[in-house]
Amino acid sequence: MAASFLQLPVFPKFPFLLHKSQFISCPQISSLPFPSRFRASSAVALEPESSPQLNNDMDFDLFSCPVCYEPLIRKGPPGLNLPAIYRSGFKCKTCNKSYSSKDMYLDLTITAGSKTYSEAQPVRTEFFRSPLVSFLYERGWRQNFNLGGFPGPDEEFKMAQEYFKPAAGGLLVDVSCGSGLFSRKFAESGTYSGVVALDFSENMLRQCYDFIKKDNPSLTTNLALVRADISRLPFSSGSVDAVHAGAALHCWPSPSNAVAEITRILRNGGVFVGTTFLRPIYTNSFIPAILRPFRQTILQTSNYLTEKEIEDLCRSCGLINYTSKIQQSFIMFSAQKA
């Protein structure tokens, strides 16, 4: 898998992601093993009252440390694209923790690099890390969502794009992206300066890369694959223009923690769009037949909310301009960072 990366272009189509998600040409990279300056992929826009005094002798990357939220220092080819990120190393100058790519994705979880420590995850989290579930997600699982009122990926994408119009040209993060069904659509649209496909499941990210390699290898120029925890997103506050969460909220261990994190990373005016199944769910019709034996596990370990609860959750996390569209058990909702 790693060998296929080496066949990709080293230099991205859009070589540099900077403040407010604008691209500019990048300078040549120093040939020294430890250059005195690291070129930034992104400068982070923070609220004036909370902006840290950064060291003027260093520039920082788009990604931030999930431990302390400080922007990471990057050593390697610049750009928000698969080959550049794969060849780069990242380090937090505050806590000195290092991060690197594993297989084809960048691991920015808190436990990245740990050798003996492991952490028990909720059943729903482990369920989607399964190779079987990851393989089936776009091969029967997601297609069955239309039985619950989901209009289908193409229509969902069009609906989301309408909500995301204020974020056109900016950076979009597709959290809990699964196998990257919508991450790939957002990247293909050319609407955004960059797209980050983010999920906690290693196997979902591998599936995403396999689909890219098979169907559209050119997506490597403006798309990054990142493993991260939805409750500890690896971005600085106010650094992201848009966040998408497709069929995800009901799978999060703590929806309130997740929405609070999404609010934190959005810039002022940034847009959050999500879809989920509404409560109650009385049918297993959206679950592929091969996984029906796991029905109770799926339904009992999910946070299905009502429309009013979703609206209240968004407002309690500081989001405004809430709106939603409902069809049977399907809901698409949107809100903005004030």
Side-chain angles (χ1 to χ4, degrees):
M1 201 68 75
S4 61
F5 265 101
L6 300 179
Q7 299 170 4
L8 295 170
V10 174
F11 298 103
K13 181 179 179 182
F14 302 109
F16 244 70
L17 185 65
L18 286 188
H19 182 50
K20 296 183 180 179
S21 302
Q22 298 298 314
F23 287 99
I24 66 171
S25 298
C26 64
Q28 292 185 356
I29 303 171
S30 170
S31 60
L32 296 174
F34 298 101
S36 59
R37 284 180 65 87
F38 292 88
R39 183 63 181 173
S41 291
S42 175
V44 180
L46 295 177
E47 298 297 325
E49 62 271 20
S50 62
S51 297
Q53 296 297 315
L54 298 180
N55 184 343
N56 291 330
D57 292 333
M58 289 187 176
D59 292 320
F60 298 91
D61 198 77
L62 161 70
F63 300 113
S64 291
C65 175
V67 176
C68 58
Y69 292 139
E70 289 295 322
L72 296 174
I73 301 170
R74 176 171 178 171
K75 181 176 182 289
L80 186 71
N81 62 85
L82 291 177
I85 291 175
Y86 178 74
R87 297 180 180 204
S88 296
F90 299 82
K91 189 172 185 178
C92 177
K93 82 178 189 74
T94 301
C95 67
N96 209 37
K97 185 174 174 64
S98 297
Y99 302 89
S100 60
S101 294
K102 184 177 182 181
D103 295 333
M104 72 297 298
Y105 59 84
L106 175 62
D107 192 342
L108 292 178
T109 58
I110 291 178
T111 56
S114 61
K115 297 180 179 179
T116 58
Y117 175 78
S118 61
E119 201 167 62
Q121 298 293 333
V123 174
R124 77 198 75 168
T125 301
E126 293 302 303
F127 185 77
F128 286 100
R129 294 176 73 186
S130 160
L132 175 61
V133 174
S134 302
F135 179 82
L136 291 175
Y137 191 75
E138 289 189 45
R139 299 177 175 90
W141 178 294
R142 194 53 164 76
Q143 289 82 345
N144 281 274
F145 283 17
N146 65 335
L147 300 177
F150 276 64
D154 290 340
E155 183 61 27
E156 289 173 52
F157 172 71
K158 291 178 182 178
M159 294 167 64
Q161 285 289 75
E162 285 296 312
Y163 284 128
F164 280 136
K165 280 184 177 179
L171 172 69
L172 182 145
V173 179
D174 188 17
V175 298
S176 299
C177 68
S179 56
L181 175 62
F182 289 99
S183 305
R184 304 195 305 273
K185 289 180 179 292
F186 289 127
E188 287 171 351
S189 72
T191 307
Y192 310 96
S193 56
V195 175
V196 177
L198 183 150
D199 204 280
F200 189 75
S201 169
E202 305 92 326
N203 284 304
M204 285 291 191
L205 293 170
R206 293 185 183 109
Q207 283 295 317
C208 181
Y209 177 74
D210 287 344
F211 281 122
I212 292 171
K213 185 173 65 173
K214 176 183 176 183
D215 300 332
N216 194 349
S218 66
L219 286 185
T220 59
T221 61
N222 68 334
L223 177 66
L225 304 184
V226 174
R227 181 173 183 247
D229 189 336
I230 187 61
S231 65
R232 202 78 184 175
L233 294 173
F235 303 94
S236 294
S237 300
S239 62
V240 173
D241 300 280
V243 174
H244 176 261
L249 184 146
H250 58 278
C251 299
W252 294 338
S254 173
S256 59
N257 285 350
V259 176
E261 268 294 270
I262 289 169
T263 303
R264 180 186 65 79
I265 69 172
L266 281 173
R267 64 167 176 80
N268 291 346
V271 183
F272 171 38
V273 174
T275 61
T276 187
F277 285 98
L278 291 173
R279 192 174 72 231
I281 300 291
Y282 294 120
T283 178
N284 64 4
S285 57
F286 66 94
I287 303 174
I290 192 172
L291 295 174
R292 296 279 169 81
F294 303 102
R295 175 180 178 275
Q296 289 303 112
T297 299
I298 297 169
L299 298 183
Q300 289 179 359
T301 62
S302 298
N303 288 314
Y304 295 108
L305 305 179
T306 65
E307 195 273 338
K308 289 297 183 184
E309 288 174 326
I310 295 172
E311 179 179 4
D312 191 40
L313 173 58
C314 289
R315 295 189 188 281
S316 68
C317 290
L319 298 173
I320 62 173
N321 298 331
Y322 176 88
T323 184
S324 66
K325 297 178 182 178
I326 298 174
Q327 179 176 306
Q328 299 179 49
S329 296
F330 164 82
I331 181 173
M332 175 175 282
F333 60 92
S334 175
Q336 282 185 290
K337 175 81 168 282

